[in-house]
Amino acid sequence: MAASLQPACLDLHFAGKHPPPLKHTNATFLRCVSSPNFPEPDSPDANLTKDQRKVVRIAWEKIVRWSRSLRAKAKTDVLERTRKVVVLGGGSFGTAMAAHVAGRKEGLEVNMLVRDSFVCESINKNHRNCKYFPEHKLPENVIATTDAKAALLDADYCLHAVPVQFSSLFLEGISDYVDPGLPFISLSKGLELNTLRMMSQIIPTALKNPRQPFVALSGPSFALELMNNLPTAMVVASKDKKLANAVQQLLASSYLRINTSSDVTGVEIAGALKNVLAIAAGIVDGMQLGNNSMAALVSQGCSEIRWLATKMGAKPTTITGLSGTGDIMLTCFVNLSRNRTVGVRLGSGETLDEILSSMNQVAEGVATAGAVIALAQKYNVKLPVLTAVAKIIDNELTPTKAVLELMSLPQVEEV
């Protein structure tokens, strides 16, 4: 959703619709601000005048009425028809999405296909994922199993939460049990290291079904905050508009907004590259280089992601949206980010082997970094920051040397 608030005019885009225009014109607002009694912004009396309050009140009331009207017309038939959802993977985000979907409908069966028999037993007996969320109770309609055939039998939707680098082998192993019409909703972010493929390419290839329905789910979303039902917004992207709308109905709730997009490439490539940029942001923090350098680095990284993504056919608006800038901000600036944590520790002097051996979750940016550079060479795009991360991960460049080299790059005109 893109929104811009002008003095007396609201232009709010949602699902291709606009709220009704305000009756007050810009001239009304300009009369307010041009009044000799209008206080300076820094003055202690810089409160809204009566006319200004009226403009704001009417604007807000129109937004609320428009929102309620659309919500009243929202379809719920997809959720009503859905009987079973399968989640592939028992990690933190897969668990959070399983809990979320299960909470959407009491009679909905949510099967989690997990590898660890101990985690499986913990979910079924105690309704807790003892490895990732030992203090969070899962809905009773979340059921874990290690049996792929049982998990996938009669499923209406599949949430794929297996790390990218393990997805091909995993999917090939269960392909005999996957219905060719089962929609796959990918939660995995990254690029396959050797092939440079995204999940939209990995899933149909591994399942030997080029027509396997596919949706990418992405956006700024930490699993812990989803588990705590904190307000979150994400994007579902599919070339099949009806499928994207159906998944929107399935997942959207009072605390989870789901926007739709047809730009699968943009959503996926932004989700992959932001993990590499988050490592760079963590390195800056670990080296204690300050806020100025952090802002410069992340803004440069955003440009690099846009350069590559648009060369690959993505829409620039996707890169500045929830699945692009939104996810980048969350991953680069918040300590819950696994990839940022890897960067902080690298910047503090630890080796990559030390860091990875102490982690119980996958930081996709580590594997993705090398693939990103290969992809950049394929599309003839220079990515200084992301390339530096790949060199640091390969132990061919120190963080200190990388900073010196990046600061010595030619001064250029912004594009």
Side-chain angles (χ1 to χ4, degrees):
M1 181 182 69
S4 60
L5 186 60
Q6 298 175 354
C9 171
L10 183 73
D11 181 20
L12 185 61
H13 303 270
F14 182 81
K17 300 178 181 179
H18 298 262
L22 301 177
K23 292 182 180 179
H24 288 265
T25 64
N26 284 339
T28 305
F29 186 81
L30 290 174
R31 284 199 298 273
C32 298
V33 299
S34 62
S35 166
N37 296 323
F38 189 82
E40 292 296 324
D42 294 331
S43 75
D45 297 323
N47 297 317
L48 293 176
T49 67
K50 183 177 180 181
D51 284 346
Q52 289 174 309
R53 285 196 295 270
K54 183 177 180 181
V55 170
V56 173
R57 185 182 72 250
I58 291 174
W60 181 249
E61 288 172 354
K62 285 185 177 290
I63 294 171
V64 171
R65 285 199 301 271
W66 164 76
S67 175
R68 288 174 179 169
S69 174
L70 286 185
R71 289 203 308 270
K73 298 175 184 177
K75 296 180 180 179
T76 58
D77 53 307
V78 170
L79 184 62
E80 291 168 1
R81 291 196 309 266
T82 303
R83 297 288 177 263
K84 180 179 178 180
V85 174
V86 59
V87 179
L88 306 181
S92 58
F93 202 72
T95 302
M97 288 304 298
H100 171 73
V101 174
R104 296 277 288 131
K105 179 180 171 182
E106 189 173 339
L108 179 63
E109 180 182 341
V110 178
N111 273 202
M112 291 181 65
L113 178 60
V114 300
R115 291 186 306 166
D116 191 327
S117 58
F118 187 64
V119 170
C120 183
E121 183 180 8
S122 173
I123 291 173
N124 291 332
K125 285 190 175 181
N126 305 318
H127 303 293
R128 299 176 192 275
N129 186 324
C130 58
K131 188 173 182 180
Y132 295 104
F133 292 111
E135 298 180 2
H136 288 77
K137 188 172 183 180
L138 299 172
E140 295 192 3
N141 52 332
V142 174
I143 302 165
T145 180
T146 57
D147 184 342
K149 184 177 181 179
L152 288 157
L153 183 65
D154 296 327
D156 297 300
Y157 292 92
C158 175
L159 295 172
H160 179 93
V162 177
V164 172
Q165 307 308 323
F166 307 113
S167 288
S168 283
L169 188 60
F170 170 80
L171 289 169
E172 288 169 3
I174 66 169
S175 60
D176 290 344
Y177 312 122
V178 176
D179 188 281
L182 176 64
F184 267 67
I185 305 167
S186 174
L187 315 183
S188 308
K189 299 176 182 179
L191 296 169
E192 196 171 47
L193 185 56
N194 296 323
T195 66
L196 312 183
R197 295 182 302 180
M198 298 177 288
M199 289 306 303
S200 57
Q201 300 163 310
I202 293 171
I203 288 175
T205 301
L207 297 177
K208 299 181 178 62
N209 179 16
R211 300 180 67 84
Q212 193 78 44
F214 177 84
V215 177
L217 175 70
S218 191
S221 49
F222 283 140
L224 177 61
E225 296 190 3
L226 276 174
M227 288 292 285
N228 290 332
N229 295 348
L230 295 178
T232 302
M234 302 181 72
V235 176
V236 289
S238 177
K239 294 179 180 179
D240 183 339
K241 186 175 181 180
K242 288 184 178 180
L243 179 57
N245 289 335
V247 174
Q248 182 186 51
Q249 281 190 49
L250 178 69
L251 300 181
S253 72
S254 59
Y255 66 89
L256 178 58
R257 282 183 60 86
I258 300 290
N259 293 346
T260 61
S261 171
S262 61
D263 186 7
V264 176
T265 297
V267 168
E268 284 206 278
I269 201 66
L273 270 60
K274 61 93 182 180
N275 286 328
V276 183
L277 181 55
I279 294 175
I283 290 171
V284 167
D285 195 26
M287 295 177 69
Q288 299 182 358
L289 298 180
N291 298 318
N292 292 349
S293 59
M294 178 68 78
L297 174 117
V298 173
S299 61
Q300 168 68 21
C302 287
S303 294
E304 293 182 14
I305 291 172
R306 173 171 53 85
W307 296 337
L308 179 56
T310 52
K311 274 288 190 77
M312 296 176 66
K315 300 175 183 177
T317 50
T318 301
I319 309 307
T320 57
L322 271 175
S323 59
T325 303
D327 211 358
I328 289 168
M329 288 192 292
L330 185 76
T331 315
C332 288
F333 299 142
V334 183
N335 289 331
L336 285 173
S337 165
R338 297 190 296 270
N339 292 284
R340 184 183 188 280
T341 298
V342 169
V344 170
R345 295 175 66 178
L346 283 171
S348 300
E350 293 186 61
T351 67
L352 186 62
D353 288 342
E354 291 172 341
I355 297 166
L356 296 182
S357 64
S358 66
M359 296 179 68
N360 69 343
Q361 297 187 68
V362 176
E364 285 282 9
V366 174
T368 301
V372 168
I373 307 314
L375 205 57
Q377 290 177 343
K378 178 180 177 180
Y379 287 92
N380 194 27
V381 182
K382 290 183 174 64
L383 309 177
V385 167
L386 301 183
T387 303
V389 174
K391 295 282 283 183
I392 292 170
I393 286 174
D394 285 343
N395 202 30
E396 294 181 357
L397 187 65
T398 66
T400 302
K401 180 68 173 177
V403 171
L404 291 173
E405 291 291 350
L406 289 172
M407 288 301 294
S408 300
L409 290 172
Q411 316 296 311
V412 297
E413 179 181 1
E414 284 204 343
V415 292

Short mmCIF file of all heavy atoms in Angstrom, two decimals, residues 222-271:
data_model
loop_
_atom_site.label_atom_id
_atom_site.label_comp_id
_atom_site.label_asym_id
_atom_site.label_seq_id
_atom_site.Cartn_x
_atom_site.Cartn_y
_atom_site.Cartn_z
N PHE A 222 9.32 -10.57 12.00
CA PHE A 222 10.04 -11.45 12.89
C PHE A 222 9.07 -12.48 13.46
O PHE A 222 7.95 -12.14 13.86
CB PHE A 222 10.70 -10.68 14.03
CG PHE A 222 11.95 -9.94 13.63
CD1 PHE A 222 12.20 -8.67 14.13
CD2 PHE A 222 12.87 -10.50 12.77
CE1 PHE A 222 13.34 -7.98 13.77
CE2 PHE A 222 14.03 -9.82 12.41
CZ PHE A 222 14.26 -8.56 12.92
N ALA A 223 9.51 -13.73 13.52
CA ALA A 223 8.65 -14.80 14.00
C ALA A 223 8.15 -14.55 15.42
O ALA A 223 6.99 -14.80 15.73
CB ALA A 223 9.42 -16.13 13.94
N LEU A 224 9.03 -14.06 16.29
CA LEU A 224 8.65 -13.83 17.68
C LEU A 224 7.49 -12.85 17.79
O LEU A 224 6.56 -13.05 18.58
CB LEU A 224 9.86 -13.30 18.46
CG LEU A 224 9.60 -12.94 19.94
CD1 LEU A 224 9.14 -14.17 20.71
CD2 LEU A 224 10.85 -12.34 20.58
N GLU A 225 7.51 -11.79 16.98
CA GLU A 225 6.44 -10.80 17.05
C GLU A 225 5.14 -11.34 16.47
O GLU A 225 4.05 -10.97 16.92
CB GLU A 225 6.89 -9.51 16.36
CG GLU A 225 8.07 -8.88 17.07
CD GLU A 225 8.41 -7.48 16.59
OE1 GLU A 225 7.68 -6.95 15.72
OE2 GLU A 225 9.40 -6.93 17.09
N LEU A 226 5.23 -12.21 15.47
CA LEU A 226 4.03 -12.89 14.97
C LEU A 226 3.44 -13.79 16.06
O LEU A 226 2.21 -13.84 16.24
CB LEU A 226 4.36 -13.72 13.75
CG LEU A 226 4.39 -13.01 12.39
CD1 LEU A 226 4.88 -13.96 11.31
CD2 LEU A 226 3.02 -12.47 12.02
N MET A 227 4.29 -14.48 16.77
CA MET A 227 3.82 -15.35 17.86
C MET A 227 3.13 -14.55 18.95
O MET A 227 2.22 -15.04 19.63
CB MET A 227 4.99 -16.13 18.45
CG MET A 227 5.53 -17.23 17.55
SD MET A 227 4.37 -18.60 17.31
CE MET A 227 4.48 -19.44 18.87
N ASN A 228 3.56 -13.30 19.11
CA ASN A 228 2.96 -12.43 20.14
C ASN A 228 1.79 -11.61 19.61
O ASN A 228 1.30 -10.71 20.29
CB ASN A 228 4.03 -11.50 20.72
CG ASN A 228 5.05 -12.25 21.57
OD1 ASN A 228 4.73 -13.29 22.15
ND2 ASN A 228 6.26 -11.74 21.64
N ASN A 229 1.37 -11.92 18.38
CA ASN A 229 0.21 -11.24 17.76
C ASN A 229 0.39 -9.73 17.65
O ASN A 229 -0.58 -8.97 17.79
CB ASN A 229 -1.08 -11.55 18.52
CG ASN A 229 -1.46 -13.02 18.45
OD1 ASN A 229 -0.89 -13.78 17.66
ND2 ASN A 229 -2.39 -13.43 19.28
N LEU A 230 1.63 -9.30 17.40
CA LEU A 230 1.88 -7.87 17.23
C LEU A 230 1.57 -7.47 15.78
O LEU A 230 1.75 -8.26 14.86
CB LEU A 230 3.33 -7.54 17.57
CG LEU A 230 3.72 -7.78 19.03
CD1 LEU A 230 5.20 -7.46 19.25
CD2 LEU A 230 2.86 -6.92 19.97
N PRO A 231 1.08 -6.24 15.55
CA PRO A 231 0.70 -5.82 14.19
C PRO A 231 1.84 -5.98 13.19
O PRO A 231 2.96 -5.52 13.42
CB PRO A 231 0.33 -4.34 14.38
CG PRO A 231 -0.08 -4.24 15.81
CD PRO A 231 0.82 -5.19 16.55
N THR A 232 1.55 -6.64 12.08
CA THR A 232 2.54 -6.96 11.06
C THR A 232 1.90 -6.80 9.68
O THR A 232 0.70 -7.00 9.53
CB THR A 232 3.05 -8.41 11.23
OG1 THR A 232 3.61 -8.56 12.54
CG2 THR A 232 4.10 -8.77 10.20
N ALA A 233 2.70 -6.45 8.68
CA ALA A 233 2.21 -6.35 7.31
C ALA A 233 3.17 -7.06 6.37
O ALA A 233 4.38 -6.90 6.48
CB ALA A 233 2.06 -4.89 6.88
N MET A 234 2.61 -7.86 5.47
CA MET A 234 3.42 -8.63 4.54
C MET A 234 2.81 -8.58 3.14
O MET A 234 1.74 -8.00 2.95
CB MET A 234 3.55 -10.08 5.02
CG MET A 234 4.15 -10.22 6.41
SD MET A 234 4.29 -11.95 6.94
CE MET A 234 5.62 -12.51 5.89
N VAL A 235 3.49 -9.20 2.19
CA VAL A 235 3.05 -9.22 0.79
C VAL A 235 3.02 -10.66 0.29
O VAL A 235 3.94 -11.44 0.57
CB VAL A 235 4.01 -8.41 -0.11
CG1 VAL A 235 3.59 -8.51 -1.58
CG2 VAL A 235 4.05 -6.96 0.33
N VAL A 236 1.95 -11.02 -0.44
CA VAL A 236 1.94 -12.29 -1.16
C VAL A 236 2.04 -11.96 -2.65
O VAL A 236 1.32 -11.11 -3.15
CB VAL A 236 0.69 -13.14 -0.87
CG1 VAL A 236 0.73 -13.70 0.53
CG2 VAL A 236 -0.60 -12.37 -1.11
N ALA A 237 2.96 -12.63 -3.33
CA ALA A 237 3.18 -12.35 -4.75
C ALA A 237 2.98 -13.61 -5.57
O ALA A 237 3.51 -14.68 -5.23
CB ALA A 237 4.60 -11.81 -4.97
N SER A 238 2.20 -13.49 -6.63
CA SER A 238 1.98 -14.61 -7.53
C SER A 238 1.59 -14.07 -8.90
O SER A 238 0.95 -13.02 -9.01
CB SER A 238 0.86 -15.53 -7.00
OG SER A 238 0.60 -16.59 -7.91
N LYS A 239 1.97 -14.80 -9.92
CA LYS A 239 1.54 -14.43 -11.27
C LYS A 239 0.07 -14.75 -11.49
O LYS A 239 -0.54 -14.26 -12.43
CB LYS A 239 2.41 -15.15 -12.30
CG LYS A 239 3.87 -14.68 -12.27
CD LYS A 239 4.72 -15.41 -13.28
CE LYS A 239 6.17 -14.92 -13.21
NZ LYS A 239 7.05 -15.65 -14.17
N ASP A 240 -0.49 -15.57 -10.61
CA ASP A 240 -1.91 -15.91 -10.63
C ASP A 240 -2.64 -15.00 -9.64
O ASP A 240 -2.56 -15.21 -8.43
CB ASP A 240 -2.09 -17.38 -10.26
CG ASP A 240 -3.54 -17.85 -10.33
OD1 ASP A 240 -4.45 -16.99 -10.28
OD2 ASP A 240 -3.76 -19.07 -10.42
N LYS A 241 -3.33 -14.00 -10.15
CA LYS A 241 -3.97 -13.01 -9.28
C LYS A 241 -5.01 -13.65 -8.36
O LYS A 241 -5.13 -13.29 -7.18
CB LYS A 241 -4.61 -11.92 -10.12
CG LYS A 241 -5.18 -10.77 -9.32
CD LYS A 241 -5.70 -9.66 -10.22
CE LYS A 241 -6.25 -8.49 -9.38
NZ LYS A 241 -6.76 -7.40 -10.25
N LYS A 242 -5.77 -14.61 -8.89
CA LYS A 242 -6.80 -15.26 -8.07
C LYS A 242 -6.16 -16.03 -6.91
O LYS A 242 -6.69 -16.04 -5.80
CB LYS A 242 -7.63 -16.21 -8.94
CG LYS A 242 -8.57 -15.49 -9.90
CD LYS A 242 -9.44 -16.49 -10.67
CE LYS A 242 -10.41 -15.77 -11.60
NZ LYS A 242 -11.25 -16.74 -12.37
N LEU A 243 -5.02 -16.66 -7.19
CA LEU A 243 -4.34 -17.40 -6.13
C LEU A 243 -3.81 -16.44 -5.06
O LEU A 243 -3.91 -16.71 -3.86
CB LEU A 243 -3.20 -18.22 -6.72
CG LEU A 243 -2.35 -19.02 -5.73
CD1 LEU A 243 -3.22 -19.97 -4.92
CD2 LEU A 243 -1.24 -19.78 -6.46
N ALA A 244 -3.23 -15.31 -5.49
CA ALA A 244 -2.73 -14.31 -4.52
C ALA A 244 -3.87 -13.81 -3.64
O ALA A 244 -3.72 -13.67 -2.42
CB ALA A 244 -2.08 -13.15 -5.26
N ASN A 245 -5.03 -13.55 -4.24
CA ASN A 245 -6.18 -13.08 -3.46
C ASN A 245 -6.67 -14.15 -2.50
O ASN A 245 -7.11 -13.86 -1.38
CB ASN A 245 -7.31 -12.66 -4.40
CG ASN A 245 -7.00 -11.38 -5.15
OD1 ASN A 245 -6.20 -10.56 -4.70
ND2 ASN A 245 -7.61 -11.20 -6.31
N ALA A 246 -6.62 -15.42 -2.94
CA ALA A 246 -7.05 -16.52 -2.07
C ALA A 246 -6.14 -16.65 -0.86
O ALA A 246 -6.60 -16.81 0.28
CB ALA A 246 -7.07 -17.83 -2.86
N VAL A 247 -4.83 -16.56 -1.08
CA VAL A 247 -3.87 -16.65 0.03
C VAL A 247 -4.03 -15.44 0.96
O VAL A 247 -3.88 -15.56 2.18
CB VAL A 247 -2.43 -16.77 -0.51
CG1 VAL A 247 -1.42 -16.72 0.62
CG2 VAL A 247 -2.27 -18.07 -1.29
N GLN A 248 -4.33 -14.29 0.39
CA GLN A 248 -4.60 -13.10 1.20
C GLN A 248 -5.76 -13.38 2.15
O GLN A 248 -5.69 -13.08 3.34
CB GLN A 248 -4.92 -11.91 0.30
CG GLN A 248 -5.19 -10.61 1.03
CD GLN A 248 -5.63 -9.52 0.08
OE1 GLN A 248 -6.56 -9.70 -0.72
NE2 GLN A 248 -4.97 -8.37 0.15
N GLN A 249 -6.82 -13.97 1.62
CA GLN A 249 -7.98 -14.31 2.47
C GLN A 249 -7.60 -15.31 3.55
O GLN A 249 -8.04 -15.21 4.69
CB GLN A 249 -9.09 -14.93 1.62
CG GLN A 249 -9.92 -13.95 0.82
CD GLN A 249 -11.12 -14.64 0.22
OE1 GLN A 249 -11.86 -15.35 0.91
NE2 GLN A 249 -11.32 -14.45 -1.07
N LEU A 250 -6.78 -16.28 3.18
CA LEU A 250 -6.39 -17.32 4.13
C LEU A 250 -5.58 -16.77 5.29
O LEU A 250 -5.76 -17.18 6.44
CB LEU A 250 -5.57 -18.39 3.40
CG LEU A 250 -5.02 -19.54 4.24
CD1 LEU A 250 -6.15 -20.44 4.72
CD2 LEU A 250 -3.99 -20.35 3.45
N LEU A 251 -4.68 -15.82 5.02
CA LEU A 251 -3.71 -15.37 6.03
C LEU A 251 -4.07 -14.08 6.75
O LEU A 251 -3.66 -13.88 7.90
CB LEU A 251 -2.33 -15.21 5.37
CG LEU A 251 -1.72 -16.44 4.71
CD1 LEU A 251 -0.36 -16.11 4.13
CD2 LEU A 251 -1.61 -17.60 5.70
N ALA A 252 -4.78 -13.18 6.10
CA ALA A 252 -5.02 -11.85 6.68
C ALA A 252 -5.87 -11.96 7.95
O ALA A 252 -6.83 -12.73 8.02
CB ALA A 252 -5.70 -10.94 5.67
N SER A 253 -5.49 -11.18 8.95
CA SER A 253 -6.23 -11.17 10.22
C SER A 253 -6.19 -9.76 10.80
O SER A 253 -5.69 -8.83 10.18
CB SER A 253 -5.60 -12.16 11.21
OG SER A 253 -4.35 -11.66 11.67
N SER A 254 -6.71 -9.61 12.00
CA SER A 254 -6.75 -8.30 12.65
C SER A 254 -5.36 -7.78 12.99
O SER A 254 -5.16 -6.58 13.18
CB SER A 254 -7.60 -8.36 13.93
OG SER A 254 -7.05 -9.32 14.83
N TYR A 255 -4.36 -8.67 13.06
CA TYR A 255 -3.00 -8.21 13.36
C TYR A 255 -2.00 -8.53 12.25
O TYR A 255 -0.81 -8.25 12.37
CB TYR A 255 -2.51 -8.79 14.70
CG TYR A 255 -2.32 -10.28 14.74
CD1 TYR A 255 -1.11 -10.85 14.39
CD2 TYR A 255 -3.36 -11.12 15.15
CE1 TYR A 255 -0.93 -12.23 14.42
CE2 TYR A 255 -3.19 -12.49 15.18
CZ TYR A 255 -1.98 -13.04 14.83
OH TYR A 255 -1.81 -14.40 14.86
N LEU A 256 -2.48 -9.13 11.15
CA LEU A 256 -1.59 -9.39 10.01
C LEU A 256 -2.24 -8.89 8.72
O LEU A 256 -3.22 -9.46 8.24
CB LEU A 256 -1.29 -10.89 9.88
CG LEU A 256 -0.40 -11.30 8.70
CD1 LEU A 256 0.95 -10.57 8.76
CD2 LEU A 256 -0.19 -12.80 8.65
N ARG A 257 -1.69 -7.79 8.19
CA ARG A 257 -2.13 -7.25 6.90
C ARG A 257 -1.41 -8.00 5.79
O ARG A 257 -0.21 -8.23 5.87
CB ARG A 257 -1.79 -5.76 6.78
CG ARG A 257 -2.71 -4.83 7.53
CD ARG A 257 -2.32 -3.39 7.26
NE ARG A 257 -2.40 -3.09 5.84
CZ ARG A 257 -3.51 -2.70 5.22
NH1 ARG A 257 -4.62 -2.56 5.91
NH2 ARG A 257 -3.52 -2.44 3.93
N ILE A 258 -2.13 -8.34 4.75
CA ILE A 258 -1.54 -9.01 3.60
C ILE A 258 -1.88 -8.22 2.34
O ILE A 258 -3.04 -8.14 1.94
CB ILE A 258 -2.06 -10.46 3.46
CG1 ILE A 258 -1.73 -11.29 4.70
CG2 ILE A 258 -1.49 -11.10 2.20
CD1 ILE A 258 -0.26 -11.62 4.87
N ASN A 259 -0.86 -7.62 1.74
CA ASN A 259 -1.03 -6.99 0.43
C ASN A 259 -0.72 -8.01 -0.66
O ASN A 259 -0.04 -9.00 -0.41
CB ASN A 259 -0.11 -5.78 0.29
CG ASN A 259 -0.48 -4.64 1.22
OD1 ASN A 259 -1.58 -4.63 1.79
ND2 ASN A 259 0.41 -3.70 1.40
N THR A 260 -1.19 -7.76 -1.87
CA THR A 260 -0.92 -8.67 -2.98
C THR A 260 -0.06 -7.99 -4.04
O THR A 260 -0.05 -6.77 -4.16
CB THR A 260 -2.22 -9.16 -3.62
OG1 THR A 260 -2.95 -8.05 -4.16
CG2 THR A 260 -3.09 -9.91 -2.62
N SER A 261 0.67 -8.81 -4.80
CA SER A 261 1.53 -8.31 -5.86
C SER A 261 1.65 -9.37 -6.95
O SER A 261 1.51 -10.57 -6.68
CB SER A 261 2.92 -7.98 -5.30
OG SER A 261 3.84 -7.70 -6.34
N SER A 262 1.91 -8.93 -8.17
CA SER A 262 2.18 -9.86 -9.26
C SER A 262 3.68 -9.94 -9.54
O SER A 262 4.12 -10.74 -10.38
CB SER A 262 1.45 -9.40 -10.53
OG SER A 262 1.91 -8.11 -10.93
N ASP A 263 4.48 -9.15 -8.82
CA ASP A 263 5.92 -9.06 -9.06
C ASP A 263 6.67 -10.09 -8.22
O ASP A 263 7.29 -9.77 -7.20
CB ASP A 263 6.41 -7.64 -8.75
CG ASP A 263 7.87 -7.43 -9.12
OD1 ASP A 263 8.47 -8.34 -9.75
OD2 ASP A 263 8.42 -6.37 -8.79
N VAL A 264 6.62 -11.35 -8.65
CA VAL A 264 7.26 -12.42 -7.90
C VAL A 264 8.78 -12.21 -7.84
O VAL A 264 9.40 -12.36 -6.78
CB VAL A 264 6.94 -13.79 -8.53
CG1 VAL A 264 7.68 -14.92 -7.81
CG2 VAL A 264 5.44 -14.05 -8.50
N THR A 265 9.37 -11.82 -8.95
CA THR A 265 10.83 -11.62 -9.00
C THR A 265 11.26 -10.53 -8.02
O THR A 265 12.22 -10.70 -7.27
CB THR A 265 11.27 -11.24 -10.43
OG1 THR A 265 10.98 -12.31 -11.31
CG2 THR A 265 12.77 -10.93 -10.47
N GLY A 266 10.55 -9.40 -8.02
CA GLY A 266 10.91 -8.30 -7.13
C GLY A 266 10.81 -8.69 -5.67
O GLY A 266 11.71 -8.39 -4.86
N VAL A 267 9.73 -9.37 -5.30
CA VAL A 267 9.54 -9.79 -3.91
C VAL A 267 10.60 -10.78 -3.49
O VAL A 267 11.18 -10.69 -2.40
CB VAL A 267 8.12 -10.38 -3.72
CG1 VAL A 267 8.00 -11.08 -2.36
CG2 VAL A 267 7.06 -9.28 -3.84
N GLU A 268 10.92 -11.74 -4.36
CA GLU A 268 11.90 -12.76 -4.00
C GLU A 268 13.32 -12.22 -3.95
O GLU A 268 14.09 -12.54 -3.04
CB GLU A 268 11.81 -13.93 -4.98
CG GLU A 268 10.62 -14.83 -4.76
CD GLU A 268 10.89 -16.23 -5.26
OE1 GLU A 268 10.73 -16.45 -6.48
OE2 GLU A 268 11.27 -17.10 -4.45
N ILE A 269 13.70 -11.42 -4.94
CA ILE A 269 15.09 -10.95 -4.98
C ILE A 269 15.36 -9.96 -3.85
O ILE A 269 16.44 -9.96 -3.26
CB ILE A 269 15.45 -10.35 -6.36
CG1 ILE A 269 16.98 -10.35 -6.57
CG2 ILE A 269 14.88 -8.96 -6.55
CD1 ILE A 269 17.58 -11.72 -6.68
N ALA A 270 14.36 -9.14 -3.51
CA ALA A 270 14.53 -8.23 -2.37
C ALA A 270 14.67 -9.02 -1.07
O ALA A 270 15.50 -8.70 -0.22
CB ALA A 270 13.34 -7.27 -2.29
N GLY A 271 13.86 -10.08 -0.94
CA GLY A 271 13.94 -10.91 0.26
C GLY A 271 15.27 -11.62 0.40
O GLY A 271 15.74 -11.87 1.51
#
